[in-house]
Amino acid sequence: MSSILVTGGAGYVGSHATAALIEAGYDVVVFDDLSKGHREAVPQGAELIVGSVLDPAAVRGALAARPFEAVMHFAALSLVGESVANPWRYFRENVGGAIELLEATVEAGVKKFVLSSTANLFGEPERVPIDESEPLIPGSPYGESKYMIERMLRWADEIHGVRSACLRYFNAAGACPSGTRGEDHTPETHLIPLVLQVALGQREQISIFGDDYDTPDGTCVRDYIHVCDLADAHVLALPALEQESLSLNLGNGTGYSVREVIETARQVTGHPIPAVMAERRAGDPPTLVASSGAIRERLGWEPRYPTLEAIIETAWKWHKGHPDGYEPQP
Ligand code: UFG
């Protein structure tokens, strides 16, 4: 059985990818410092090693646990606004962590690497939907940190033959349809979980950050992609890496405005979800929608939950069953 090392496998996207890998028959070792992730999120059947990608000895220890076929790297800071407020922390932790991990990956002789990259690489794109020919002009220090890692991976391939798949996620959302795994960030800043917190009675209202954008209803448009569909792409990337390195946009190809998300959540939950207007949030581009053509063609990827209803329904099931998120096992 092939083994995969998953950094950040206790986090939101990493834990869903770990579950998908296990279901596909892989043996998985999760390496996570639990600073953002949750021990309870690590799927059954995966081994958890607690440690930070910033700690070279811990990274080497994890890579020595098995002969790994591939490393999947999710462990990172990922908030656009926070990265504008504290760019050095993002460069130090995201880029520094990737340097430690890549150097140790090369030393361990692992030849496949999958990077959790981002649509923030495109800043304010010239053309929508965004395909892989769009110029890379990161919209924030967060996006820039991922861009730097993508550039390092180019040299890991060139010099050491490490093949990489850089998967540039659009807006990850939704939860495992079983209701056992989902989104649990502290503090929560993402639109869908915040809207559902209103439906749960944990918040009075949702603030809409700006309605004067150049979009059909004036609110920002995003490409929400189900976290299990994101996870599937990681599994499909592994055999594709036998051929060559890849950089692919990972979204559904359909955009929804902030108002449309709130309206769909009202229908799914049956709650009125009061909304109020607020100032624009710094760094938010008006529209981010992927072209999913290349990933469908190269990986044979097909989303299982492409509709906003399905995404919000699965998120709602998770939030209703876990109103306080993951709670430590007694
Ligand atoms: N929004 C609101 N009110 C809120 C929260 C969000 O109106 O209370 C709006 C935002 O302004 C934005 C949209 O909802 O227009 C989506 O915001 P999120 O915070 O849910 O997600 P982002 O688009 O800011 O960012 C996410 C990830 C990033 C990734 C990006 C790629 O957090 O890591 O998607 O598209 F880079």
Side-chain angles (χ1 to χ4, degrees), residues 78-80 118-120 142 169-172 189-194 206-210 213 219-224 258 281 284-286 288:
S78 65
L79 298 177
V80 171
T118 175
N120 195 256
Y142 164 62
Y169 311 161
F170 284 66
N171 286 57
T189 62
H190 295 102
L191 179 63
I192 291 177
L194 288 175
I206 185 75
S207 297
I208 298 176
F209 296 151
Y213 286 96
T219 67
C220 289
V221 171
R222 294 288 180 275
D223 184 339
Y224 295 90
V258 173
R281 190 173 67 177
D284 279 340
L288 281 178

Short mmCIF file of all heavy atoms in Angstrom, two decimals, residues 78-80 118-120 142 169-172 189-194 206-210 213 219-224 258 281 284-286 288, ligand 1:
data_model
loop_
_atom_site.label_atom_id
_atom_site.label_comp_id
_atom_site.label_asym_id
_atom_site.label_seq_id
_atom_site.Cartn_x
_atom_site.Cartn_y
_atom_site.Cartn_z
N SER A 78 -3.87 31.00 5.97
CA SER A 78 -4.60 31.11 4.70
C SER A 78 -5.60 32.26 4.63
O SER A 78 -6.53 32.20 3.82
CB SER A 78 -5.33 29.79 4.42
OG SER A 78 -6.30 29.59 5.41
N LEU A 79 -5.42 33.30 5.44
CA LEU A 79 -6.40 34.39 5.40
C LEU A 79 -5.82 35.62 4.72
O LEU A 79 -4.80 36.17 5.14
CB LEU A 79 -6.87 34.74 6.81
CG LEU A 79 -7.59 33.60 7.54
CD1 LEU A 79 -7.95 34.02 8.96
CD2 LEU A 79 -8.83 33.16 6.78
N VAL A 80 -6.52 36.02 3.65
CA VAL A 80 -6.04 37.14 2.83
C VAL A 80 -5.88 38.40 3.69
O VAL A 80 -4.81 39.03 3.70
CB VAL A 80 -7.05 37.37 1.67
CG1 VAL A 80 -6.74 38.65 0.93
CG2 VAL A 80 -7.06 36.17 0.73
N THR A 118 -3.65 28.62 -4.32
CA THR A 118 -4.83 29.48 -4.15
C THR A 118 -5.15 30.35 -5.36
O THR A 118 -4.24 30.76 -6.09
CB THR A 118 -4.62 30.41 -2.94
OG1 THR A 118 -5.72 31.32 -2.85
CG2 THR A 118 -3.34 31.22 -3.05
N ALA A 119 -6.43 30.67 -5.51
CA ALA A 119 -6.88 31.62 -6.53
C ALA A 119 -6.37 33.02 -6.23
O ALA A 119 -6.42 33.89 -7.11
CB ALA A 119 -8.41 31.63 -6.58
N ASN A 120 -5.90 33.26 -5.03
CA ASN A 120 -5.37 34.59 -4.70
C ASN A 120 -4.08 34.88 -5.48
O ASN A 120 -3.59 36.01 -5.48
CB ASN A 120 -5.16 34.72 -3.19
CG ASN A 120 -4.97 36.16 -2.76
OD1 ASN A 120 -3.86 36.59 -2.48
ND2 ASN A 120 -6.05 36.92 -2.76
N TYR A 142 -0.49 36.65 1.38
CA TYR A 142 -0.85 35.22 1.41
C TYR A 142 -0.67 34.59 0.03
O TYR A 142 0.02 33.58 -0.13
CB TYR A 142 -2.31 35.06 1.89
CG TYR A 142 -2.88 33.70 1.59
CD1 TYR A 142 -2.30 32.55 2.13
CD2 TYR A 142 -3.96 33.55 0.73
CE1 TYR A 142 -2.80 31.30 1.83
CE2 TYR A 142 -4.46 32.30 0.42
CZ TYR A 142 -3.88 31.18 0.97
OH TYR A 142 -4.36 29.94 0.66
N TYR A 169 -6.88 26.57 -5.36
CA TYR A 169 -8.27 26.48 -4.91
C TYR A 169 -8.98 27.80 -5.04
O TYR A 169 -8.45 28.84 -4.66
CB TYR A 169 -8.40 26.12 -3.43
CG TYR A 169 -7.62 24.98 -2.89
CD1 TYR A 169 -7.42 24.90 -1.51
CD2 TYR A 169 -7.13 23.97 -3.69
CE1 TYR A 169 -6.73 23.86 -0.95
CE2 TYR A 169 -6.44 22.92 -3.14
CZ TYR A 169 -6.23 22.87 -1.77
OH TYR A 169 -5.54 21.84 -1.20
N PHE A 170 -10.23 27.71 -5.45
CA PHE A 170 -11.13 28.85 -5.33
C PHE A 170 -11.75 28.74 -3.92
O PHE A 170 -11.03 28.41 -2.99
CB PHE A 170 -12.07 28.91 -6.54
CG PHE A 170 -11.30 29.45 -7.73
CD1 PHE A 170 -10.24 28.72 -8.29
CD2 PHE A 170 -11.55 30.71 -8.23
CE1 PHE A 170 -9.46 29.24 -9.33
CE2 PHE A 170 -10.79 31.23 -9.28
CZ PHE A 170 -9.74 30.50 -9.83
N ASN A 171 -13.04 29.01 -3.71
CA ASN A 171 -13.51 29.09 -2.32
C ASN A 171 -14.00 27.75 -1.78
O ASN A 171 -15.13 27.33 -2.08
CB ASN A 171 -14.61 30.15 -2.22
CG ASN A 171 -14.03 31.55 -2.31
OD1 ASN A 171 -13.35 31.88 -3.29
ND2 ASN A 171 -14.25 32.35 -1.30
N ALA A 172 -13.16 27.10 -0.99
CA ALA A 172 -13.51 25.81 -0.38
C ALA A 172 -14.69 26.01 0.55
O ALA A 172 -14.71 26.93 1.37
CB ALA A 172 -12.32 25.27 0.39
N THR A 189 -14.00 33.50 9.66
CA THR A 189 -14.09 34.70 8.81
C THR A 189 -14.79 34.40 7.49
O THR A 189 -15.06 35.32 6.73
CB THR A 189 -12.67 35.24 8.47
OG1 THR A 189 -11.97 34.22 7.73
CG2 THR A 189 -11.90 35.61 9.71
N HIS A 190 -15.06 33.12 7.19
CA HIS A 190 -15.59 32.75 5.87
C HIS A 190 -17.11 32.92 5.81
O HIS A 190 -17.82 32.70 6.80
CB HIS A 190 -15.20 31.31 5.54
CG HIS A 190 -13.73 31.14 5.39
ND1 HIS A 190 -12.95 30.59 6.38
CD2 HIS A 190 -12.90 31.48 4.38
CE1 HIS A 190 -11.69 30.59 5.97
NE2 HIS A 190 -11.62 31.13 4.77
N LEU A 191 -17.56 33.27 4.62
CA LEU A 191 -18.96 33.67 4.45
C LEU A 191 -19.95 32.56 4.84
O LEU A 191 -20.87 32.80 5.63
CB LEU A 191 -19.20 34.10 2.98
CG LEU A 191 -20.63 34.53 2.67
CD1 LEU A 191 -21.03 35.76 3.47
CD2 LEU A 191 -20.78 34.80 1.17
N ILE A 192 -19.80 31.36 4.26
CA ILE A 192 -20.84 30.34 4.47
C ILE A 192 -20.96 29.93 5.94
O ILE A 192 -22.07 29.93 6.49
CB ILE A 192 -20.65 29.15 3.49
CG1 ILE A 192 -20.97 29.65 2.06
CG2 ILE A 192 -21.53 27.96 3.87
CD1 ILE A 192 -20.76 28.63 0.95
N PRO A 193 -19.87 29.61 6.64
CA PRO A 193 -20.06 29.28 8.07
C PRO A 193 -20.64 30.43 8.89
O PRO A 193 -21.45 30.19 9.79
CB PRO A 193 -18.66 28.89 8.56
CG PRO A 193 -17.73 29.13 7.44
CD PRO A 193 -18.51 29.33 6.18
N LEU A 194 -20.28 31.67 8.54
CA LEU A 194 -20.83 32.81 9.29
C LEU A 194 -22.34 32.94 9.05
O LEU A 194 -23.10 33.18 9.99
CB LEU A 194 -20.12 34.11 8.89
CG LEU A 194 -18.69 34.25 9.39
CD1 LEU A 194 -18.05 35.52 8.84
CD2 LEU A 194 -18.63 34.28 10.92
N ILE A 206 -25.79 38.79 9.34
CA ILE A 206 -24.56 38.70 8.54
C ILE A 206 -24.31 40.08 7.92
O ILE A 206 -25.25 40.74 7.47
CB ILE A 206 -24.67 37.60 7.45
CG1 ILE A 206 -23.33 37.43 6.71
CG2 ILE A 206 -25.81 37.85 6.48
CD1 ILE A 206 -22.27 36.72 7.49
N SER A 207 -23.05 40.49 7.92
CA SER A 207 -22.68 41.75 7.28
C SER A 207 -22.25 41.46 5.84
O SER A 207 -21.46 40.54 5.61
CB SER A 207 -21.50 42.40 8.01
OG SER A 207 -21.87 42.71 9.32
N ILE A 208 -22.77 42.24 4.91
CA ILE A 208 -22.35 42.12 3.50
C ILE A 208 -21.27 43.17 3.27
O ILE A 208 -21.52 44.37 3.40
CB ILE A 208 -23.54 42.36 2.55
CG1 ILE A 208 -24.61 41.29 2.78
CG2 ILE A 208 -23.07 42.38 1.09
CD1 ILE A 208 -25.89 41.49 1.94
N PHE A 209 -20.06 42.69 2.96
CA PHE A 209 -18.92 43.60 2.83
C PHE A 209 -18.91 44.27 1.46
O PHE A 209 -18.17 43.88 0.57
CB PHE A 209 -17.61 42.85 3.06
CG PHE A 209 -17.45 42.29 4.46
CD1 PHE A 209 -16.68 41.15 4.68
CD2 PHE A 209 -18.03 42.90 5.56
CE1 PHE A 209 -16.51 40.64 5.95
CE2 PHE A 209 -17.87 42.40 6.84
CZ PHE A 209 -17.11 41.26 7.04
N GLY A 210 -19.74 45.28 1.29
CA GLY A 210 -19.74 46.08 0.07
C GLY A 210 -20.78 45.64 -0.94
O GLY A 210 -20.88 44.45 -1.24
N TYR A 213 -19.69 46.91 -5.86
CA TYR A 213 -18.71 46.33 -6.78
C TYR A 213 -19.29 46.26 -8.18
O TYR A 213 -20.53 46.27 -8.34
CB TYR A 213 -18.32 44.91 -6.33
CG TYR A 213 -17.41 44.88 -5.12
CD1 TYR A 213 -17.93 44.71 -3.84
CD2 TYR A 213 -16.04 45.01 -5.27
CE1 TYR A 213 -17.09 44.67 -2.73
CE2 TYR A 213 -15.20 44.97 -4.17
CZ TYR A 213 -15.72 44.80 -2.91
OH TYR A 213 -14.90 44.76 -1.82
N THR A 219 -22.49 42.87 -5.13
CA THR A 219 -21.70 42.17 -4.10
C THR A 219 -20.70 41.23 -4.78
O THR A 219 -20.88 40.85 -5.94
CB THR A 219 -22.61 41.39 -3.12
OG1 THR A 219 -23.25 40.30 -3.81
CG2 THR A 219 -23.67 42.30 -2.50
N CYS A 220 -19.66 40.84 -4.04
CA CYS A 220 -18.56 40.06 -4.64
C CYS A 220 -19.03 38.68 -5.10
O CYS A 220 -19.86 38.04 -4.43
CB CYS A 220 -17.44 39.88 -3.63
SG CYS A 220 -16.53 41.38 -3.30
N VAL A 221 -18.45 38.23 -6.19
CA VAL A 221 -18.79 36.93 -6.76
C VAL A 221 -17.63 35.96 -6.56
O VAL A 221 -16.47 36.31 -6.83
CB VAL A 221 -19.12 37.09 -8.27
CG1 VAL A 221 -19.26 35.73 -8.94
CG2 VAL A 221 -20.38 37.92 -8.45
N ARG A 222 -17.94 34.78 -6.05
CA ARG A 222 -16.91 33.76 -5.80
C ARG A 222 -17.36 32.41 -6.37
O ARG A 222 -18.55 32.14 -6.48
CB ARG A 222 -16.67 33.58 -4.29
CG ARG A 222 -16.07 34.80 -3.60
CD ARG A 222 -14.61 34.98 -3.98
NE ARG A 222 -14.01 36.13 -3.34
CZ ARG A 222 -14.07 37.39 -3.82
NH1 ARG A 222 -14.72 37.64 -4.94
NH2 ARG A 222 -13.47 38.37 -3.20
N ASP A 223 -16.37 31.56 -6.61
CA ASP A 223 -16.59 30.20 -7.11
C ASP A 223 -16.45 29.26 -5.91
O ASP A 223 -15.35 28.95 -5.49
CB ASP A 223 -15.52 29.92 -8.18
CG ASP A 223 -15.68 28.58 -8.86
OD1 ASP A 223 -16.33 27.69 -8.29
OD2 ASP A 223 -15.12 28.44 -9.96
N TYR A 224 -17.60 28.87 -5.35
CA TYR A 224 -17.57 27.99 -4.17
C TYR A 224 -17.44 26.55 -4.63
O TYR A 224 -18.20 26.10 -5.49
CB TYR A 224 -18.84 28.21 -3.33
CG TYR A 224 -18.88 29.60 -2.76
CD1 TYR A 224 -19.48 30.65 -3.46
CD2 TYR A 224 -18.25 29.91 -1.56
CE1 TYR A 224 -19.46 31.95 -2.97
CE2 TYR A 224 -18.23 31.21 -1.06
CZ TYR A 224 -18.84 32.22 -1.78
OH TYR A 224 -18.80 33.51 -1.29
N VAL A 258 -22.42 37.32 -2.96
CA VAL A 258 -22.66 37.22 -1.51
C VAL A 258 -24.16 37.16 -1.25
O VAL A 258 -24.64 36.34 -0.47
CB VAL A 258 -22.01 38.42 -0.77
CG1 VAL A 258 -22.40 38.42 0.70
CG2 VAL A 258 -20.49 38.39 -0.92
N ARG A 281 -14.38 44.97 2.48
CA ARG A 281 -13.24 44.41 3.22
C ARG A 281 -11.99 44.58 2.36
O ARG A 281 -12.02 44.25 1.16
CB ARG A 281 -13.52 42.92 3.49
CG ARG A 281 -12.56 42.27 4.44
CD ARG A 281 -12.99 40.85 4.79
NE ARG A 281 -12.91 39.95 3.64
CZ ARG A 281 -13.18 38.65 3.70
NH1 ARG A 281 -13.58 38.09 4.84
NH2 ARG A 281 -13.08 37.89 2.63
N ASP A 284 -10.48 42.45 -1.12
CA ASP A 284 -11.44 41.57 -1.80
C ASP A 284 -11.56 41.93 -3.28
O ASP A 284 -12.05 43.01 -3.62
CB ASP A 284 -12.84 41.71 -1.17
CG ASP A 284 -13.01 40.90 0.09
OD1 ASP A 284 -12.22 39.95 0.30
OD2 ASP A 284 -13.94 41.20 0.86
N PRO A 285 -11.17 41.04 -4.20
CA PRO A 285 -11.42 41.32 -5.61
C PRO A 285 -12.91 41.14 -5.91
O PRO A 285 -13.58 40.34 -5.24
CB PRO A 285 -10.59 40.27 -6.36
CG PRO A 285 -10.19 39.26 -5.35
CD PRO A 285 -10.47 39.78 -3.98
N PRO A 286 -13.48 41.87 -6.91
CA PRO A 286 -14.92 41.77 -7.18
C PRO A 286 -15.36 40.36 -7.57
O PRO A 286 -16.36 39.86 -7.07
CB PRO A 286 -15.15 42.75 -8.34
CG PRO A 286 -13.93 43.59 -8.43
CD PRO A 286 -12.81 42.88 -7.76
N LEU A 288 -14.07 36.26 -8.62
CA LEU A 288 -13.08 35.18 -8.79
C LEU A 288 -13.84 33.92 -9.18
O LEU A 288 -14.54 33.33 -8.36
CB LEU A 288 -12.33 34.91 -7.47
CG LEU A 288 -11.19 35.85 -7.08
CD1 LEU A 288 -10.62 35.45 -5.72
CD2 LEU A 288 -10.08 35.87 -8.13
N1 UFG B 1 -18.04 38.21 3.08
C1 UFG B 1 -19.07 39.04 3.53
N2 UFG B 1 -19.35 38.99 4.86
C2 UFG B 1 -18.69 38.20 5.75
C3 UFG B 1 -17.66 37.36 5.28
C4 UFG B 1 -17.36 37.39 3.92
O1 UFG B 1 -19.67 39.79 2.77
O2 UFG B 1 -19.02 38.25 6.96
C5 UFG B 1 -17.72 38.23 1.64
C6 UFG B 1 -16.27 38.59 1.35
O3 UFG B 1 -16.14 40.00 1.30
C7 UFG B 1 -16.05 37.90 0.01
C8 UFG B 1 -16.95 36.66 0.08
O4 UFG B 1 -17.88 36.92 1.13
O5 UFG B 1 -16.51 38.72 -1.02
C9 UFG B 1 -16.18 35.39 0.40
O6 UFG B 1 -15.36 35.64 1.55
P1 UFG B 1 -14.59 34.49 2.34
O7 UFG B 1 -13.94 35.14 3.52
O8 UFG B 1 -15.54 33.36 2.61
O9 UFG B 1 -13.52 33.95 1.31
P2 UFG B 1 -12.39 34.75 0.47
O10 UFG B 1 -12.90 34.86 -0.94
O11 UFG B 1 -11.97 35.99 1.13
O12 UFG B 1 -11.12 33.79 0.55
C10 UFG B 1 -11.13 32.40 0.35
C11 UFG B 1 -10.01 31.78 1.19
C12 UFG B 1 -8.66 32.22 0.68
C13 UFG B 1 -8.55 31.98 -0.80
C14 UFG B 1 -9.72 32.57 -1.56
C15 UFG B 1 -9.64 32.16 -3.00
O13 UFG B 1 -10.14 32.16 2.55
O14 UFG B 1 -7.65 31.49 1.35
O15 UFG B 1 -10.95 32.10 -1.01
O16 UFG B 1 -10.75 32.58 -3.73
F1 UFG B 1 -7.41 32.58 -1.26
#
